[in-house]
Amino acid sequence: MQDTLQRKFYRKEMEVNALLEITQAVNDNLPEDDLYKIYEFTLRANLQLSKMVLYVKDLDWECKVQFGAKKDFTKIPLDTGCFDLKKIVAVTDAKLSISCFNEFDIIIPVTHKEKLLAFVFIKTSEEEKGADTTFIQALSNVILVAIENKRLARKQLEQQAIQREMEIARNVQNYLFPDVLPNSQKLEIKAFYQPCKTVGGDYYDYIPIPNENQFLVCIADVSGKGMPAAILMSNFQAVLRTLSRNAENPEQVIHELNHQTWHNAKGENFITFFLAVYDFDKKNLRYFNCGHNHPVLITKDEVMILNEGSTVLGAFDPLPFLDKGEIENIEEFSLFMFTDGLTETFNSAGEEFGEERLRKFLVDHKNKDLQTTHNDLMTELEGFKKENAFADDLTFLSCRVNNATP
């Protein structure tokens, strides 16, 4: 009787010591690997288990701790028969299909707030019969909840870092767009921009060239999203604004933009780009379309698709070819530029809005003011897609010139 009481007392003392060790390790904020090592040592030394395997749910079920087992359980998947277990059971009572788990006596599921965290497979030593499985379950719960909290805290920090990155990228991107667009009888420009997510990959710009009585308009779409895309587009804009002083030679601007994009992106990203320069004195429009959606130019007499140019920027250095588009003796026109988020808006039947539908819309609105055109276009898109979400950034820019001689 005395031996039995002494044995029980000794076991409880070991359990208390084990709990204190685990609690101290958790309070010391030790790394996960150290916590698993302390957990293993505690069960081996204090509770005298001869065999033990611990499977933990991470991205998948993985064996994190093992000792005394004949097999290497890090290479053996968890038996799916465990998933139906709600309480501690003998291995012989579990419906397991993988025979190597039969070298254990007991399976202990570990849960927290009804979430299944782990399974402990144990076999007691010959000297230590009838291990306190409830205590093992509680001890496992303590350490696994601590590890789970570490993971959640790490994910939260990662999400916060991503959110900060997105905010920085969004601020960087906002600086790219012009603060003020012209709104006069001679020249009016309106723009619309709606990113699909926090940060988009679209860009548009208006750059006046007063000494030459010219102006430059452009639109671009960079492959990729987030901070890398925002930084690449920021560099792109800086180069463009520096080179735009030489708008008399836009070919050189395009070649340099391509070179800088290739250099900055290392060939991993590219940019579709459209640039147009209008000269009020010469009444001509020069443009280059580098792999971008074809802008629509509408005059009194015709509708033109502006497709002369080259391939996307940043994919080759140097560009394999570069063709200049030029329209002479043009005094009054409307130019509509857009990114593929507009034409690739889909309805519930999987049909895209498309360029043909867009051109018809623009022709029908050629005599309306630009803001009304933009508002009506958004109404048209919303009615077309209905409950569907926009799958990409949505950007478009309208430019109307009235340069007729009084």
Side-chain angles (χ1 to χ4, degrees):
M1 179 69 176
Q2 186 176 357
D3 290 343
T4 303
L5 290 175
Q6 187 174 6
R7 189 177 184 85
K8 288 183 178 180
F9 175 79
Y10 179 66
R11 177 183 291 176
K12 291 300 178 184
E13 186 179 30
M14 287 193 300
E15 290 178 353
V16 170
N17 290 334
L19 185 59
L20 288 174
E21 289 177 17
I22 292 293
T23 303
Q24 184 62 48
V26 170
N27 291 338
D28 289 342
N29 198 28
L30 295 180
E32 290 180 23
D33 288 344
D34 290 349
L35 291 177
Y36 283 128
K37 289 177 182 178
I38 293 172
Y39 174 77
E40 176 186 349
F41 175 80
T42 300
L43 293 183
R44 295 182 72 170
N46 295 343
L47 302 184
Q48 298 183 11
L49 299 178
S50 64
K51 296 181 181 181
M52 193 274 288
V53 165
L54 171 69
Y55 276 87
V56 178
K57 180 70 167 68
D58 198 346
L59 295 177
D60 201 354
W61 287 95
E62 299 178 13
C63 177
K64 296 291 187 179
V65 178
Q66 66 172 347
F67 63 80
K70 297 177 182 179
K71 300 283 188 179
D72 181 2
F73 282 85
T74 61
K75 299 178 180 178
I76 299 173
L78 178 64
D79 196 305
T80 56
C82 296
F83 298 149
D84 295 328
L85 301 180
K86 304 298 182 183
K87 60 182 180 179
I88 300 171
V89 298
V91 171
T92 53
D93 294 333
K95 297 178 181 179
L96 302 184
S97 58
I98 302 177
S99 61
C100 59
F101 286 98
N102 292 329
E103 63 177 289
F104 300 97
D105 295 331
I106 299 171
I107 306 174
I108 305 172
V110 182
T111 60
H112 179 64
K113 296 181 179 179
E114 299 184 356
K115 180 181 179 181
L116 193 56
L117 299 181
F119 289 99
V120 186
F121 297 79
I122 66 170
K123 184 177 181 61
T124 56
S125 63
E126 291 298 327
E127 298 79 11
E128 185 70 17
K129 293 296 184 180
D132 189 343
T133 55
T134 302
F135 178 77
I136 295 174
Q137 187 179 48
L139 188 69
S140 303
N141 185 274
V142 169
I143 197 164
L144 290 170
V145 167
I147 290 174
E148 179 74 5
N149 288 339
K150 279 178 172 290
R151 290 177 185 156
L152 292 175
R154 186 167 59 245
K155 288 180 180 179
Q156 185 177 15
L157 289 175
E158 291 172 353
Q159 290 173 351
Q160 290 174 351
I162 292 172
Q163 185 61 35
R164 286 196 297 271
E165 180 181 291
M166 290 296 100
E167 290 174 359
I168 294 171
R170 181 176 57 194
N171 291 334
V172 168
Q173 189 174 50
N174 288 337
Y175 289 133
L176 300 182
F177 301 119
D179 294 330
V180 179
L181 294 173
N183 185 17
S184 66
Q185 184 67 29
K186 190 174 184 179
L187 173 62
E188 181 185 6
I189 296 178
K190 296 288 184 183
F192 178 88
Y193 171 67
Q194 177 179 289
C196 179
K197 298 181 179 179
T198 305
V199 178
D202 290 357
Y203 159 66
Y204 67 85
D205 212 342
Y206 157 76
I207 304 174
I209 311 169
N211 293 338
E212 304 293 338
N213 199 23
Q214 301 173 353
F215 71 89
L216 179 153
V217 286
C218 65
I219 193 167
D221 187 357
V222 61
S223 64
K225 306 294 179 186
M227 178 62 81
I231 291 176
L232 179 60
M233 196 59 89
S234 177
N235 291 334
F236 184 85
Q237 187 225 35
V239 174
L240 173 62
R241 285 185 167 264
T242 300
L243 296 174
S244 63
R245 295 175 233 167
N246 191 26
E248 187 62 34
N249 185 9
E251 293 95 335
Q252 181 180 344
V253 174
I254 297 294
H255 282 298
E256 187 61 27
L257 285 171
N258 178 71
H259 174 74
Q260 291 297 331
T261 303
W262 168 267
H263 175 76
N264 292 331
K266 311 300 182 185
E268 295 180 0
N269 295 86
F270 60 86
I271 297 176
T272 67
F273 181 60
F274 175 84
L275 174 149
V277 177
Y278 182 72
D279 189 316
F280 284 100
D281 294 332
K282 297 179 181 180
K283 298 183 178 180
N284 74 338
L285 180 76
R286 291 164 293 160
Y287 73 87
F288 294 91
N289 189 333
C290 300
H292 197 76
N293 301 91
H294 301 159
V296 181
L297 182 76
I298 300 178
T299 66
K300 292 181 179 179
D301 303 319
E302 60 181 322
V303 177
M304 289 177 276
I305 305 304
L306 307 186
N307 56 9
E308 296 292 335
S310 186
T311 187
V312 297
L313 302 183
F316 306 95
D317 189 31
L319 285 170
F321 64 94
L322 182 61
D323 300 322
K324 179 178 71 173
E326 186 165 8
I327 304 170
E328 298 180 338
N329 299 318
I330 181 170
E331 296 180 331
E332 299 179 55
F333 64 89
S334 293
L335 174 63
F336 184 86
M337 303 180 292
F338 60 98
T339 58
D340 55 11
L342 193 163
T343 51
E344 293 179 8
T345 295
F346 290 87
N347 62 16
S348 57
E351 178 188 9
E352 69 174 15
F353 190 76
E355 294 189 3
E356 184 176 344
R357 187 178 277 105
L358 173 62
R359 287 196 291 271
K360 182 179 183 306
F361 172 88
L362 294 174
V363 170
D364 292 341
H365 283 72
K366 67 178 182 178
N367 295 321
K368 295 188 177 182
D369 67 85
L370 299 186
Q371 190 57 60
T372 299
T373 299
H374 283 199
N375 293 343
D376 289 352
L377 179 55
M378 283 305 301
T379 301
E380 184 90 359
L381 288 171
E382 292 288 351
F384 177 79
K385 72 177 187 64
K386 294 183 179 178
E387 69 277 4
N388 282 9
F390 288 108
D392 200 353
D393 306 327
L394 189 62
T395 306
F396 47 87
L397 182 146
S398 295
C399 172
R400 180 167 289 169
V401 170
N402 184 0
N403 192 31
T405 303

